[in-house]
Amino acid sequence: MNKLVVFGCGRLAHVVADACIGGLLPEYELVGVYSRTMSKAEDLAEKMRTHGQSCKACASLDELLALKPDYLVEAASPAGMKELALPTLKNGTSIITLSIGAFADTAFYEEVIRTAKDCGTRVYIASGATGGFDVLRTATLMGNASATFFNEKGADRLKNSTVYNPVMETEKHIVFSGTAREAIDVFPTGLNVSVAASLASVGPEKMQVTMQSTPGFVGDTQRVEIKNDEVHAVVDVYSATPAIAGWSVVSTLINIVSPIVF
């Protein structure tokens, strides 16, 4: 049985917990959870306990890692990922992360790679709200590839952002255009998937990203397009809620222990 812990106890963490309760992850035991808001950790741990599974609400990352988990699911933020990555890997614990935006920092990314190699651990990048990492990587390996990423959101999702403009309420508006590295500086959590797609293909400095605001639009559209001399692929995913990101973690956990890997 693999010991599993969760860092970040929001909606996506509950998806993972529900998968454990529902028997979708029979080779894992969720033994601990951590959140900066202790009440959220307590709620998630209590959910597990009410279903007969022992789970500890931890008050710190150190307390979480003291449980000696095999895997840690990160469902917090790029800042949280930067905080936990190195001590977790040095603890002998591999990571499944949703906050891929942290890896737009090349120095941090390279330090994580070195640490994981030295400690015999791994970082698994969950697909989040996009997909097609296999075809992105394959097309890039073939050579001479270029890639773009398009995201569409409703105007109300951007009201508290630095790019908000009243024009968004009445007409479509391009609110960002630049590289994946630049995108994550403007949208630390809203464009994590663009960094994931870039790491699977041409890299954060070469992946061109566009975000469009659309009045009344609900959910997210993520569209990745890659071209080389022989291949033209488009991965287009619409999601009404963020739940797909949590389920991508469940899929990654299943792949880790499965004799057949998709």
Side-chain angles (χ1 to χ4, degrees), residues 28-67:
Y28 296 90
E29 179 185 7
L30 182 53
V31 297
V33 295
Y34 166 77
S35 173
R36 297 192 191 284
T37 305
M38 189 62 182
S39 61
K40 290 185 177 181
E42 290 284 7
D43 287 346
L44 189 54
E46 182 60 24
K47 171 186 275 193
M48 299 304 297
R49 291 194 289 264
T50 58
H51 287 84
Q53 300 186 35
S54 177
C55 183
K56 183 177 183 181
C58 298
S60 67
L61 174 62
D62 288 343
E63 187 177 359
L64 192 68
L65 295 180
L67 298 173

mmCIF file of all heavy atoms in Angstrom, residues 28-67:
data_model
loop_
_atom_site.group_PDB
_atom_site.id
_atom_site.type_symbol
_atom_site.label_atom_id
_atom_site.label_comp_id
_atom_site.label_asym_id
_atom_site.label_seq_id
_atom_site.Cartn_x
_atom_site.Cartn_y
_atom_site.Cartn_z
ATOM 1 N N TYR A 28 -3.518 2.965 -2.757
ATOM 2 C CA TYR A 28 -3.078 4.133 -1.995
ATOM 3 C C TYR A 28 -3.879 4.260 -0.704
ATOM 4 O O TYR A 28 -5.074 3.947 -0.661
ATOM 5 C CB TYR A 28 -3.276 5.423 -2.807
ATOM 6 C CG TYR A 28 -2.445 5.503 -4.058
ATOM 7 C CD1 TYR A 28 -2.939 5.009 -5.264
ATOM 8 C CD2 TYR A 28 -1.175 6.073 -4.040
ATOM 9 C CE1 TYR A 28 -2.194 5.089 -6.429
ATOM 10 C CE2 TYR A 28 -0.419 6.154 -5.202
ATOM 11 C CZ TYR A 28 -0.933 5.661 -6.394
ATOM 12 O OH TYR A 28 -0.188 5.744 -7.541
ATOM 13 N N GLU A 29 -3.206 4.781 0.322
ATOM 14 C CA GLU A 29 -3.860 5.123 1.581
ATOM 15 C C GLU A 29 -3.592 6.590 1.865
ATOM 16 O O GLU A 29 -2.428 6.999 2.007
ATOM 17 C CB GLU A 29 -3.299 4.263 2.721
ATOM 18 C CG GLU A 29 -3.909 4.568 4.073
ATOM 19 C CD GLU A 29 -3.246 3.787 5.198
ATOM 20 O OE1 GLU A 29 -2.225 3.111 4.939
ATOM 21 O OE2 GLU A 29 -3.731 3.881 6.345
ATOM 22 N N LEU A 30 -4.655 7.390 1.909
ATOM 23 C CA LEU A 30 -4.510 8.821 2.192
ATOM 24 C C LEU A 30 -4.322 9.000 3.688
ATOM 25 O O LEU A 30 -5.264 8.904 4.463
ATOM 26 C CB LEU A 30 -5.743 9.595 1.698
ATOM 27 C CG LEU A 30 -5.728 11.124 1.873
ATOM 28 C CD1 LEU A 30 -4.474 11.736 1.265
ATOM 29 C CD2 LEU A 30 -6.988 11.743 1.277
ATOM 30 N N VAL A 31 -3.073 9.252 4.101
ATOM 31 C CA VAL A 31 -2.742 9.238 5.529
ATOM 32 C C VAL A 31 -2.640 10.627 6.145
ATOM 33 O O VAL A 31 -2.647 10.762 7.374
ATOM 34 C CB VAL A 31 -1.417 8.478 5.770
ATOM 35 C CG1 VAL A 31 -1.554 7.028 5.354
ATOM 36 C CG2 VAL A 31 -0.245 9.150 5.053
ATOM 37 N N GLY A 32 -2.540 11.682 5.328
ATOM 38 C CA GLY A 32 -2.395 13.012 5.897
ATOM 39 C C GLY A 32 -2.720 14.106 4.902
ATOM 40 O O GLY A 32 -2.562 13.934 3.688
ATOM 41 N N VAL A 33 -3.187 15.246 5.430
ATOM 42 C CA VAL A 33 -3.512 16.398 4.593
ATOM 43 C C VAL A 33 -3.021 17.663 5.299
ATOM 44 O O VAL A 33 -2.928 17.721 6.523
ATOM 45 C CB VAL A 33 -5.026 16.494 4.327
ATOM 46 C CG1 VAL A 33 -5.507 15.300 3.509
ATOM 47 C CG2 VAL A 33 -5.821 16.591 5.622
ATOM 48 N N TYR A 34 -2.711 18.679 4.482
ATOM 49 C CA TYR A 34 -2.254 19.955 5.036
ATOM 50 C C TYR A 34 -2.870 21.094 4.252
ATOM 51 O O TYR A 34 -2.974 21.045 3.022
ATOM 52 C CB TYR A 34 -0.732 20.075 4.974
ATOM 53 C CG TYR A 34 -0.255 21.497 5.223
ATOM 54 C CD1 TYR A 34 -0.220 22.027 6.505
ATOM 55 C CD2 TYR A 34 0.123 22.324 4.156
ATOM 56 C CE1 TYR A 34 0.180 23.339 6.725
ATOM 57 C CE2 TYR A 34 0.526 23.641 4.364
ATOM 58 C CZ TYR A 34 0.548 24.137 5.661
ATOM 59 O OH TYR A 34 0.927 25.433 5.882
ATOM 60 N N SER A 35 -3.275 22.135 4.954
ATOM 61 C CA SER A 35 -3.745 23.376 4.339
ATOM 62 C C SER A 35 -3.306 24.535 5.213
ATOM 63 O O SER A 35 -3.180 24.392 6.435
ATOM 64 C CB SER A 35 -5.274 23.360 4.217
ATOM 65 O OG SER A 35 -5.743 24.624 3.763
ATOM 66 N N ARG A 36 -3.084 25.685 4.599
ATOM 67 C CA ARG A 36 -2.752 26.874 5.389
ATOM 68 C C ARG A 36 -3.923 27.257 6.276
ATOM 69 O O ARG A 36 -3.738 27.888 7.316
ATOM 70 C CB ARG A 36 -2.370 28.028 4.452
ATOM 71 C CG ARG A 36 -1.131 27.742 3.631
ATOM 72 C CD ARG A 36 -0.608 28.988 2.951
ATOM 73 N NE ARG A 36 0.417 28.683 1.966
ATOM 74 C CZ ARG A 36 1.680 28.368 2.261
ATOM 75 N NH1 ARG A 36 2.053 28.313 3.523
ATOM 76 N NH2 ARG A 36 2.543 28.105 1.307
ATOM 77 N N THR A 37 -5.132 26.878 5.866
ATOM 78 C CA THR A 37 -6.326 27.057 6.700
ATOM 79 C C THR A 37 -6.606 25.727 7.379
ATOM 80 O O THR A 37 -7.068 24.778 6.749
ATOM 81 C CB THR A 37 -7.531 27.487 5.847
ATOM 82 O OG1 THR A 37 -7.194 28.662 5.105
ATOM 83 C CG2 THR A 37 -8.741 27.761 6.723
ATOM 84 N N MET A 38 -6.311 25.648 8.666
ATOM 85 C CA MET A 38 -6.381 24.369 9.380
ATOM 86 C C MET A 38 -7.772 23.756 9.315
ATOM 87 O O MET A 38 -7.914 22.527 9.245
ATOM 88 C CB MET A 38 -5.959 24.568 10.837
ATOM 89 C CG MET A 38 -5.783 23.269 11.606
ATOM 90 S SD MET A 38 -4.460 22.240 10.895
ATOM 91 C CE MET A 38 -4.539 20.799 11.958
ATOM 92 N N SER A 39 -8.806 24.582 9.311
ATOM 93 C CA SER A 39 -10.169 24.045 9.278
ATOM 94 C C SER A 39 -10.432 23.256 7.999
ATOM 95 O O SER A 39 -11.174 22.265 8.011
ATOM 96 C CB SER A 39 -11.187 25.183 9.416
ATOM 97 O OG SER A 39 -11.066 26.109 8.348
ATOM 98 N N LYS A 40 -9.818 23.672 6.903
ATOM 99 C CA LYS A 40 -9.982 22.931 5.648
ATOM 100 C C LYS A 40 -9.314 21.561 5.735
ATOM 101 O O LYS A 40 -9.843 20.562 5.230
ATOM 102 C CB LYS A 40 -9.409 23.727 4.481
ATOM 103 C CG LYS A 40 -10.211 24.973 4.127
ATOM 104 C CD LYS A 40 -9.639 25.640 2.893
ATOM 105 C CE LYS A 40 -10.463 26.857 2.481
ATOM 106 N NZ LYS A 40 -9.929 27.499 1.263
ATOM 107 N N ALA A 41 -8.142 21.512 6.361
ATOM 108 C CA ALA A 41 -7.460 20.238 6.551
ATOM 109 C C ALA A 41 -8.280 19.324 7.449
ATOM 110 O O ALA A 41 -8.415 18.117 7.183
ATOM 111 C CB ALA A 41 -6.068 20.467 7.139
ATOM 112 N N GLU A 42 -8.823 19.886 8.511
ATOM 113 C CA GLU A 42 -9.656 19.090 9.431
ATOM 114 C C GLU A 42 -10.888 18.532 8.721
ATOM 115 O O GLU A 42 -11.270 17.370 8.924
ATOM 116 C CB GLU A 42 -10.085 19.944 10.625
ATOM 117 C CG GLU A 42 -8.962 20.304 11.585
ATOM 118 C CD GLU A 42 -8.544 19.139 12.484
ATOM 119 O OE1 GLU A 42 -9.037 18.012 12.286
ATOM 120 O OE2 GLU A 42 -7.710 19.377 13.378
ATOM 121 N N ASP A 43 -11.515 19.350 7.867
ATOM 122 C CA ASP A 43 -12.702 18.894 7.146
ATOM 123 C C ASP A 43 -12.374 17.728 6.224
ATOM 124 O O ASP A 43 -13.131 16.742 6.153
ATOM 125 C CB ASP A 43 -13.289 20.048 6.316
ATOM 126 C CG ASP A 43 -13.978 21.103 7.165
ATOM 127 O OD1 ASP A 43 -14.239 20.826 8.353
ATOM 128 O OD2 ASP A 43 -14.243 22.200 6.637
ATOM 129 N N LEU A 44 -11.252 17.821 5.518
ATOM 130 C CA LEU A 44 -10.877 16.752 4.588
ATOM 131 C C LEU A 44 -10.497 15.479 5.338
ATOM 132 O O LEU A 44 -10.886 14.367 4.943
ATOM 133 C CB LEU A 44 -9.726 17.215 3.697
ATOM 134 C CG LEU A 44 -9.360 16.299 2.526
ATOM 135 C CD1 LEU A 44 -10.577 15.989 1.657
ATOM 136 C CD2 LEU A 44 -8.251 16.927 1.696
ATOM 137 N N ALA A 45 -9.749 15.643 6.436
ATOM 138 C CA ALA A 45 -9.369 14.475 7.238
ATOM 139 C C ALA A 45 -10.600 13.805 7.839
ATOM 140 O O ALA A 45 -10.701 12.572 7.877
ATOM 141 C CB ALA A 45 -8.397 14.895 8.341
ATOM 142 N N GLU A 46 -11.550 14.617 8.289
ATOM 143 C CA GLU A 46 -12.776 14.068 8.874
ATOM 144 C C GLU A 46 -13.589 13.311 7.829
ATOM 145 O O GLU A 46 -14.201 12.278 8.132
ATOM 146 C CB GLU A 46 -13.608 15.197 9.478
ATOM 147 C CG GLU A 46 -14.899 14.740 10.159
ATOM 148 C CD GLU A 46 -14.682 13.776 11.310
ATOM 149 O OE1 GLU A 46 -13.578 13.775 11.895
ATOM 150 O OE2 GLU A 46 -15.623 13.017 11.623
ATOM 151 N N LYS A 47 -13.609 13.808 6.602
ATOM 152 C CA LYS A 47 -14.297 13.087 5.526
ATOM 153 C C LYS A 47 -13.736 11.678 5.391
ATOM 154 O O LYS A 47 -14.496 10.699 5.259
ATOM 155 C CB LYS A 47 -14.150 13.833 4.196
ATOM 156 C CG LYS A 47 -14.662 13.033 2.999
ATOM 157 C CD LYS A 47 -14.375 13.712 1.685
ATOM 158 C CE LYS A 47 -15.429 14.715 1.335
ATOM 159 N NZ LYS A 47 -15.339 15.182 -0.089
ATOM 160 N N MET A 48 -12.399 11.566 5.414
ATOM 161 C CA MET A 48 -11.778 10.247 5.298
ATOM 162 C C MET A 48 -12.120 9.379 6.503
ATOM 163 O O MET A 48 -12.433 8.183 6.363
ATOM 164 C CB MET A 48 -10.260 10.385 5.171
ATOM 165 C CG MET A 48 -9.788 11.166 3.944
ATOM 166 S SD MET A 48 -10.397 10.484 2.384
ATOM 167 C CE MET A 48 -9.633 8.857 2.403
ATOM 168 N N ARG A 49 -12.083 9.974 7.701
ATOM 169 C CA ARG A 49 -12.342 9.199 8.915
ATOM 170 C C ARG A 49 -13.775 8.687 8.971
ATOM 171 O O ARG A 49 -14.040 7.585 9.451
ATOM 172 C CB ARG A 49 -12.010 10.045 10.150
ATOM 173 C CG ARG A 49 -10.509 10.303 10.317
ATOM 174 C CD ARG A 49 -10.186 10.843 11.698
ATOM 175 N NE ARG A 49 -10.643 12.209 11.871
ATOM 176 C CZ ARG A 49 -9.887 13.291 11.698
ATOM 177 N NH1 ARG A 49 -8.621 13.155 11.317
ATOM 178 N NH2 ARG A 49 -10.379 14.502 11.917
ATOM 179 N N THR A 50 -14.726 9.482 8.461
ATOM 180 C CA THR A 50 -16.122 9.043 8.482
ATOM 181 C C THR A 50 -16.358 7.863 7.545
ATOM 182 O O THR A 50 -17.384 7.185 7.644
ATOM 183 C CB THR A 50 -17.079 10.189 8.096
ATOM 184 O OG1 THR A 50 -16.739 10.678 6.789
ATOM 185 C CG2 THR A 50 -17.012 11.316 9.108
ATOM 186 N N HIS A 51 -15.404 7.637 6.663
ATOM 187 C CA HIS A 51 -15.490 6.482 5.768
ATOM 188 C C HIS A 51 -14.512 5.382 6.183
ATOM 189 O O HIS A 51 -14.116 4.534 5.387
ATOM 190 C CB HIS A 51 -15.220 6.907 4.327
ATOM 191 C CG HIS A 51 -16.354 7.689 3.716
ATOM 192 N ND1 HIS A 51 -16.498 9.052 3.900
ATOM 193 C CD2 HIS A 51 -17.416 7.292 2.958
ATOM 194 C CE1 HIS A 51 -17.580 9.455 3.266
ATOM 195 N NE2 HIS A 51 -18.154 8.415 2.692
ATOM 196 N N GLY A 52 -14.117 5.432 7.446
ATOM 197 C CA GLY A 52 -13.313 4.349 8.003
ATOM 198 C C GLY A 52 -11.850 4.373 7.643
ATOM 199 O O GLY A 52 -11.156 3.360 7.806
ATOM 200 N N GLN A 53 -11.341 5.506 7.163
ATOM 201 C CA GLN A 53 -9.934 5.593 6.772
ATOM 202 C C GLN A 53 -9.220 6.604 7.657
ATOM 203 O O GLN A 53 -9.635 7.761 7.758
ATOM 204 C CB GLN A 53 -9.817 5.989 5.299
ATOM 205 C CG GLN A 53 -10.497 4.991 4.360
ATOM 206 C CD GLN A 53 -10.258 5.321 2.901
ATOM 207 O OE1 GLN A 53 -9.201 5.800 2.518
ATOM 208 N NE2 GLN A 53 -11.250 5.047 2.059
ATOM 209 N N SER A 54 -8.151 6.186 8.302
ATOM 210 C CA SER A 54 -7.396 7.050 9.195
ATOM 211 C C SER A 54 -6.645 8.104 8.384
ATOM 212 O O SER A 54 -5.964 7.788 7.405
ATOM 213 C CB SER A 54 -6.405 6.219 10.008
ATOM 214 O OG SER A 54 -5.621 7.048 10.837
ATOM 215 N N CYS A 55 -6.797 9.364 8.771
ATOM 216 C CA CYS A 55 -6.146 10.455 8.051
ATOM 217 C C CYS A 55 -5.880 11.587 9.032
ATOM 218 O O CYS A 55 -6.768 11.981 9.797
ATOM 219 C CB CYS A 55 -7.043 10.939 6.900
ATOM 220 S SG CYS A 55 -6.304 12.236 5.884
ATOM 221 N N LYS A 56 -4.662 12.135 9.005
ATOM 222 C CA LYS A 56 -4.256 13.161 9.955
ATOM 223 C C LYS A 56 -4.278 14.541 9.308
ATOM 224 O O LYS A 56 -3.756 14.741 8.203
ATOM 225 C CB LYS A 56 -2.849 12.866 10.466
ATOM 226 C CG LYS A 56 -2.356 13.853 11.517
ATOM 227 C CD LYS A 56 -0.975 13.454 12.029
ATOM 228 C CE LYS A 56 -0.509 14.399 13.129
ATOM 229 N NZ LYS A 56 0.847 14.037 13.638
ATOM 230 N N ALA A 57 -4.878 15.510 9.986
ATOM 231 C CA ALA A 57 -4.811 16.905 9.577
ATOM 232 C C ALA A 57 -3.540 17.505 10.165
ATOM 233 O O ALA A 57 -3.398 17.605 11.388
ATOM 234 C CB ALA A 57 -6.035 17.670 10.061
ATOM 235 N N CYS A 58 -2.612 17.887 9.309
ATOM 236 C CA CYS A 58 -1.305 18.339 9.763
ATOM 237 C C CYS A 58 -1.228 19.861 9.809
ATOM 238 O O CYS A 58 -1.853 20.561 9.003
ATOM 239 C CB CYS A 58 -0.215 17.802 8.838
ATOM 240 S SG CYS A 58 -0.128 15.990 8.819
ATOM 241 N N ALA A 59 -0.433 20.347 10.751
ATOM 242 C CA ALA A 59 -0.324 21.795 10.956
ATOM 243 C C ALA A 59 0.853 22.408 10.202
ATOM 244 O O ALA A 59 1.017 23.628 10.209
ATOM 245 C CB ALA A 59 -0.192 22.089 12.451
ATOM 246 N N SER A 60 1.677 21.581 9.559
ATOM 247 C CA SER A 60 2.839 22.096 8.838
ATOM 248 C C SER A 60 3.283 21.084 7.796
ATOM 249 O O SER A 60 2.907 19.906 7.840
ATOM 250 C CB SER A 60 4.004 22.360 9.800
ATOM 251 O OG SER A 60 4.476 21.133 10.336
ATOM 252 N N LEU A 61 4.118 21.537 6.861
ATOM 253 C CA LEU A 61 4.700 20.632 5.874
ATOM 254 C C LEU A 61 5.578 19.596 6.559
ATOM 255 O O LEU A 61 5.561 18.406 6.192
ATOM 256 C CB LEU A 61 5.523 21.430 4.848
ATOM 257 C CG LEU A 61 6.304 20.595 3.829
ATOM 258 C CD1 LEU A 61 5.380 19.742 2.966
ATOM 259 C CD2 LEU A 61 7.174 21.516 2.948
ATOM 260 N N ASP A 62 6.334 20.017 7.560
ATOM 261 C CA ASP A 62 7.199 19.074 8.276
ATOM 262 C C ASP A 62 6.386 17.948 8.904
ATOM 263 O O ASP A 62 6.784 16.774 8.853
ATOM 264 C CB ASP A 62 7.993 19.804 9.371
ATOM 265 C CG ASP A 62 9.096 20.685 8.809
ATOM 266 O OD1 ASP A 62 9.456 20.492 7.632
ATOM 267 O OD2 ASP A 62 9.591 21.561 9.543
ATOM 268 N N GLU A 63 5.245 18.290 9.487
ATOM 269 C CA GLU A 63 4.396 17.269 10.099
ATOM 270 C C GLU A 63 3.831 16.331 9.036
ATOM 271 O O GLU A 63 3.720 15.116 9.258
ATOM 272 C CB GLU A 63 3.257 17.942 10.870
ATOM 273 C CG GLU A 63 2.417 16.967 11.684
ATOM 274 C CD GLU A 63 1.337 17.657 12.498
ATOM 275 O OE1 GLU A 63 1.233 18.900 12.454
ATOM 276 O OE2 GLU A 63 0.574 16.934 13.185
ATOM 277 N N LEU A 64 3.511 16.883 7.890
ATOM 278 C CA LEU A 64 2.996 16.067 6.783
ATOM 279 C C LEU A 64 4.062 15.088 6.293
ATOM 280 O O LEU A 64 3.800 13.895 6.104
ATOM 281 C CB LEU A 64 2.553 16.993 5.645
ATOM 282 C CG LEU A 64 1.724 16.384 4.514
ATOM 283 C CD1 LEU A 64 0.340 15.973 5.005
ATOM 284 C CD2 LEU A 64 1.596 17.381 3.355
ATOM 285 N N LEU A 65 5.290 15.577 6.115
ATOM 286 C CA LEU A 65 6.372 14.729 5.616
ATOM 287 C C LEU A 65 6.831 13.718 6.659
ATOM 288 O O LEU A 65 7.376 12.667 6.303
ATOM 289 C CB LEU A 65 7.548 15.593 5.157
ATOM 290 C CG LEU A 65 7.276 16.506 3.953
ATOM 291 C CD1 LEU A 65 8.526 17.300 3.598
ATOM 292 C CD2 LEU A 65 6.789 15.711 2.749
ATOM 293 N N ALA A 66 6.601 14.017 7.927
ATOM 294 C CA ALA A 66 6.969 13.074 8.991
ATOM 295 C C ALA A 66 6.157 11.782 8.916
ATOM 296 O O ALA A 66 6.556 10.759 9.499
ATOM 297 C CB ALA A 66 6.778 13.729 10.357
ATOM 298 N N LEU A 67 5.062 11.809 8.175
ATOM 299 C CA LEU A 67 4.260 10.597 7.970
ATOM 300 C C LEU A 67 4.941 9.644 6.989
ATOM 301 O O LEU A 67 4.452 8.538 6.765
ATOM 302 C CB LEU A 67 2.869 10.977 7.451
ATOM 303 C CG LEU A 67 2.020 11.838 8.388
ATOM 304 C CD1 LEU A 67 0.730 12.284 7.686
ATOM 305 C CD2 LEU A 67 1.685 11.079 9.663
#
